[in-house]
Amino acid sequence: MSTTREQALATLRALVGRDDAEFHDGQFEAIAALVDERRRALVVQRTGWGKSAVYFVATMLLRARGAGPTILVSPLLALMRDQVAAAERAGVRAVTLNSANRHEWEDVTQALRDDTVDALLVSPERLNNPEFRDQYLPALIARSGLLVIDEAHCISDWGHDFRPDYRRLRDLIAGMPDGVPVLATTATANERVVADVAEQMGAGAHNDVLTLRGPLARKSLRLGVLTLPDAGARLAWLVSNLGALPGSGIIYALTVSAAEDTARLLRDAGHETFAYTGQTDTAEREELESKLKRNEVKALVATSALGMGFDKPDLGFVVHLGAPSSPVAYYQQVGRAGRATDNADVLLLPGQEDQAIWDYFATVSMPSKPKAGAVLSALGTEPQSTRALESQVDLKPSTLELLLKVLDVDGAVRRVPKGWVSTGEEWRYDEERYARIAAARLAEQRSMLAYETTDECRMTFLQRALDDAGAQPCGRCDNCAGAWYPSEVASGAAASVATALDRVGVEIEPRKLWPTGADRLGVPVRGKITPEELLAPGRALARLTDLGWGGPLRELLDADAEDRAIPPQVLAACIRVLADWKWDERPAAVVSMPSRRRPEFVTSLARGFADAGRLPYLGSMESVGGGPTGGPGGNSAFRLSSVWERFGVGSLELPVGQPVLLVDDLVDSRWSVTVAGRELRRAGASAVLPFAAALRS
């Protein structure tokens, strides 16, 4: 053990670049368990404790003893980039196989064959890529010296960031050769998650899992909650006070549009801020991460895409515009701050819309029995691509992909080179399990709301949510020491934010291609939409997720809201959109969509346009055959099928050879206005300009 400790300490000092570095409590115990005892270990320690040091030091010691390379399963490209950089500092030869470096796979594979790689980083999704799974993984498993599962809370149904692909790691662990140690690490797990992960790590012949758990609180964090009346007030507070927050940091938003809008607004106010979301290009993400690490920006306004494992020890602050759905998820994100500083500020600015956003994400992530049954009925022994399945099951592509992953992990389907096949294994919908998960999610939401209003120490509250024993009042948070943040805003900030939020107009991009598989649903179209049937680019007042007009529109267009005439202030904003619209030719008439839910709202909006523009209002298009079938959501092929030949021109006297303004309340998939506009074009309109009060997203 002394020899191992000496070797491990020398490797640690090379890793951190300090000759006086020493192990934190538990670090060497974990390394020794892996290297000397070849055990399975679960390490639950706060961000910045040094979990990566454990697996990189263990890797070098095992390699020196003749072991094969480490397989490191890591969930995010940003995390992988930091891990590879850290490995290089320690002399660990680390490489990665991911979707962004497919052109390097052969070189990486050759390096593995030549035994010139110490650690291979892969995502859990990559483990089920047919090519990787069948051609590369078996040889890797046979030669591996250590398996590491980073952010292991993702394995658990009860973890705050559960991922279906992580669940298949249970089988990977069970299939590891005897004598190959396994390490799982996480910074945010309560007792239920720890027990679940440990149970899955004990799969196979090994059931003795060493769990090393330390205190999760960080003394440097100064927590606070500031409740403000609306989005405008929250943004005005940021505009006024962002510059006073220490160093550079992260501002978390719950949606992509909120992140983009906030970053733009703060940048216009003179703050160096940029949006970082799941829709940000990979190269741009890398550049933004580097800028934040070099303190070249004040903040990145990010969704949860910038989260697990992002390594900036001197991050000075974390602000949340809207709360995550659980205290555990919240602590995972605020744990990015104050790792190598004595002080870091953490402030939550909750929003009234938080609950609706939580409910939406909770709904889309849970499989349902009817949806699963539809997928299984559509699959056979011949491979089908996801796109081909879309014409047979009415699910959005993202929902379908998630469901296929769940069914794959459960053994009912299998991913193959040309798509998906049924395994023929009986699949049972575990209703009790999903009900338990849904109940747990609801309890987490209530706990997050309780955090916002508690009068006890906020760090103690979070520690208790993580089942962290020995919690003591921090003496720093706003409940312990009083509000450390100002509540006022600078003169003129509220007005400038209100002006920014009052901006109107987003484009409705016209559909240009008919969806694949529509012909299988009885819709005789395919390929490009012909120029004679194509809509012109349209406009909407705002997206439902926008920070400005999104809130009022969400209330007006809520499924339970009463149908009524459009309020004057909303109509005035819509008219401003028309005034700014640079169309090629002014519309000659106004036509409205036949609305099932909001006929008064749509008609009043169309008449308002006609009056303001001194245009004839021709009336509403006809609903044919009872009108559209189905509801919102689902995939393009089914949405098109539900509205095909459901709209008619009827007795409308269109101005032949002239443009028409087509008015609706809400645009989601765009197929309703596409099909209705096609009918208007076929009836003689030279162009159709769609307008909706709102875009769904």
Side-chain angles (χ1 to χ4, degrees):
M1 292 287 286
S2 61
T3 301
T4 300
R5 186 178 184 91
E6 291 170 359
Q7 294 171 344
L9 189 58
T11 305
L12 174 72
R13 289 172 173 174
L15 175 67
V16 300
R18 287 176 45 201
D19 292 337
D20 61 344
E22 296 291 340
F23 288 114
H24 296 151
D25 289 344
Q27 277 185 317
F28 178 68
E29 289 79 359
I31 293 167
L34 298 169
V35 174
D36 290 331
E37 302 174 39
R38 306 298 174 97
R39 291 187 67 179
R40 296 182 174 182
L42 169 59
V43 172
V44 184
Q45 297 281 0
R46 64 177 177 266
T47 303
W49 172 84
K51 295 182 288 295
S52 62
V54 170
Y55 50 71
F56 283 137
V57 171
T59 292
M60 294 306 286
L61 268 59
L62 287 166
R63 292 286 283 160
R65 300 182 185 194
T70 291
I71 300 175
L72 172 55
V73 182
S74 186
L76 295 173
L77 288 177
L79 178 52
M80 287 187 190
R81 287 191 286 270
D82 282 341
Q83 288 165 325
V84 169
E88 290 175 351
R89 291 195 295 270
V92 179
R93 298 167 295 182
V95 296
T96 178
L97 291 177
N98 59 64
S99 57
N101 74 338
R102 180 64 186 83
H103 58 289
E104 299 176 2
W105 280 26
E106 286 302 324
D107 293 340
V108 171
T109 304
Q110 186 59 50
L112 287 165
R113 283 194 289 262
D114 295 340
D115 202 27
T116 58
V117 170
D118 299 319
L120 172 68
L121 285 72
V122 296
S123 69
E125 290 79 10
R126 189 61 38 200
L127 295 173
N128 200 40
N129 173 277
E131 181 183 5
F132 179 82
R133 181 193 65 212
D134 299 335
Q135 298 183 27
Y136 298 93
L137 189 57
L140 279 173
I141 292 174
R143 294 187 54 243
S144 65
L146 171 66
L147 173 64
V148 178
I149 302 164
D150 206 6
E151 306 295 351
H153 58 271
C154 297
I155 290 177
S156 175
D157 285 336
W158 312 106
H160 67 268
D161 198 17
F162 163 69
R163 299 185 180 193
D165 285 291
Y166 255 73
R167 280 183 58 204
R168 66 169 50 87
L169 293 176
R170 179 190 182 102
D171 296 332
L172 177 64
I173 293 169
M176 295 302 293
D178 289 340
V180 175
V182 178
L183 171 67
T185 69
T186 182
T188 45
N190 56 25
E191 289 293 349
R192 184 187 340 211
V193 174
V194 168
D196 192 14
V197 174
E199 179 184 353
Q200 296 191 53
M201 289 183 69
H206 303 264
N207 53 22
D208 180 22
V209 177
L210 173 67
T211 299
L212 295 169
R213 179 169 184 151
L216 301 180
R218 180 170 295 117
K219 294 180 180 179
S220 61
L221 299 184
R222 184 166 61 162
L223 301 169
V225 176
L226 176 59
T227 301
L228 295 168
D230 53 36
R234 295 195 297 273
L235 290 170
W237 187 94
L238 268 179
V239 167
S240 302
N241 299 292
L242 180 58
L245 292 173
S248 56
I250 300 172
I251 301 168
Y252 279 108
L254 296 185
T255 66
V256 170
S257 61
E260 292 173 345
D261 290 348
T262 301
R264 182 175 58 251
L265 186 149
L266 291 173
R267 196 162 55 248
D268 290 345
H271 299 289
E272 193 73 0
T273 58
F274 297 90
Y276 184 112
T277 75
Q279 296 180 15
T280 305
D281 178 75
T282 300
E284 185 180 354
R285 284 200 206 187
E286 292 184 38
E287 178 61 20
L288 291 173
E289 292 164 21
S290 297
K291 283 186 174 183
L292 181 59
K293 289 176 183 178
R294 297 192 300 262
N295 295 314
E296 294 175 1
V297 298
K298 183 61 180 178
L300 295 184
V301 187
T303 62
S304 58
L306 183 65
M308 292 182 293
F310 176 73
D311 186 18
K312 179 176 168 55
D314 63 339
L315 195 75
F317 64 88
V318 172
V319 175
H320 278 78
L321 284 177
S325 59
S326 79
V328 178
Y330 180 64
Y331 192 67
Q332 192 275 329
Q333 292 180 342
V334 304
R336 307 266 68 79
R339 293 172 50 185
T341 60
D342 293 333
N343 299 287
D345 289 341
V346 172
L347 184 64
L348 170 62
L349 304 173
Q352 294 178 334
E353 69 278 8
D354 294 351
Q355 183 81 50
I357 295 173
W358 299 343
D359 291 344
Y360 170 77
F361 284 117
T363 301
V364 298
S365 64
M366 295 282 266
S368 71
K369 187 174 183 179
K371 292 176 182 177
V375 171
L376 292 173
S377 297
L379 281 175
T381 56
E382 291 297 319
Q384 291 196 67
S385 67
T386 306
R387 176 160 289 187
L389 284 170
E390 286 178 29
S391 65
Q392 302 172 66
V393 292
D394 187 10
L395 297 173
K396 287 184 176 179
S398 57
T399 305
L400 178 58
E401 286 279 3
L402 179 64
L403 183 53
L404 285 166
K405 288 179 180 181
V406 171
L407 294 173
D408 186 0
V409 171
D410 288 347
V413 307
R414 181 173 174 80
R415 191 178 177 190
V416 295
K418 293 185 178 181
W420 299 86
V421 297
S422 170
T423 63
E425 296 290 328
E426 183 180 357
W427 182 80
R428 182 180 66 85
Y429 180 74
D430 195 341
E431 188 169 356
E432 181 182 352
R433 172 184 160 217
Y434 290 121
R436 291 199 311 270
I437 295 171
R441 296 284 184 265
L442 182 59
E444 289 169 352
Q445 292 180 15
R446 290 171 177 161
S447 183
M448 193 67 222
L449 294 173
Y451 172 79
E452 295 172 12
T453 58
T454 185
D455 57 4
E456 72 168 316
C457 171
R458 296 197 190 277
M459 183 59 76
T460 298
F461 188 104
L462 293 176
Q463 286 181 268
R464 192 167 59 248
L466 287 157
D467 296 322
D468 187 5
Q472 297 290 329
C474 69
R476 297 168 58 88
C477 72
D478 55 355
N479 284 341
C480 287
W484 50 263
Y485 42 82
S487 58
E488 64 275 359
V489 300
S491 175
S496 65
V497 167
T499 299
L501 293 181
D502 196 39
R503 289 174 182 163
V504 296
V506 292
E507 181 173 324
I508 300 174
E509 185 179 354
R511 290 281 190 178
K512 297 177 181 177
L513 295 170
W514 298 113
T516 301
D519 52 338
R520 300 177 188 173
L521 298 174
V523 182
V525 292
R526 60 191 310 172
K528 291 183 178 180
I529 300 176
T530 64
E532 295 77 21
E533 299 177 333
L534 193 66
L535 272 65
R539 295 291 187 277
L541 171 57
R543 301 178 185 87
L544 290 180
T545 52
D546 285 350
L547 294 173
W549 282 100
L553 288 171
R554 283 195 300 272
E555 292 183 16
L556 276 172
L557 304 180
D558 184 82
D560 296 326
E562 180 184 358
D563 180 31
R564 60 190 178 100
I566 187 169
Q569 68 273 23
V570 181
L571 175 59
C574 291
I575 291 173
R576 285 164 49 205
V577 177
L578 290 193
D580 294 337
W581 194 343
K582 309 301 182 188
W583 42 52
D584 294 331
E585 186 178 357
R586 190 175 189 271
V590 181
V591 172
S592 59
M593 290 286 289
S595 176
R596 290 181 291 176
R597 290 185 177 180
R598 304 179 191 93
E600 185 177 355
F601 180 93
V602 175
T603 300
S604 64
L605 174 57
R607 289 189 181 278
F609 281 161
D611 293 342
R614 295 187 176 89
L615 298 170
Y617 171 56
L618 304 183
S620 172
M621 295 186 69
E622 287 186 345
S623 289
V624 178
T629 59
N635 63 54
S636 281
F638 274 82
R639 292 283 65 75
L640 175 61
S641 173
S642 72
V643 298
W644 187 253
E645 296 183 340
R646 296 288 175 165
F647 304 110
V649 173
S651 60
L652 296 180
E653 297 181 2
L654 296 178
V656 177
Q658 296 186 67
V660 170
L661 183 67
L662 178 61
V663 178
D664 204 356
D665 55 350
L666 176 64
V667 166
D668 185 1
S669 70
R670 292 171 286 157
W671 286 119
S672 290
V673 292
T674 298
V675 171
R678 174 179 179 267
E679 294 301 319
L680 294 172
R681 291 293 311 272
R682 286 156 61 98
S686 63
V688 174
L689 303 145
F691 182 94
L695 274 174
R696 187 170 295 278
S697 62

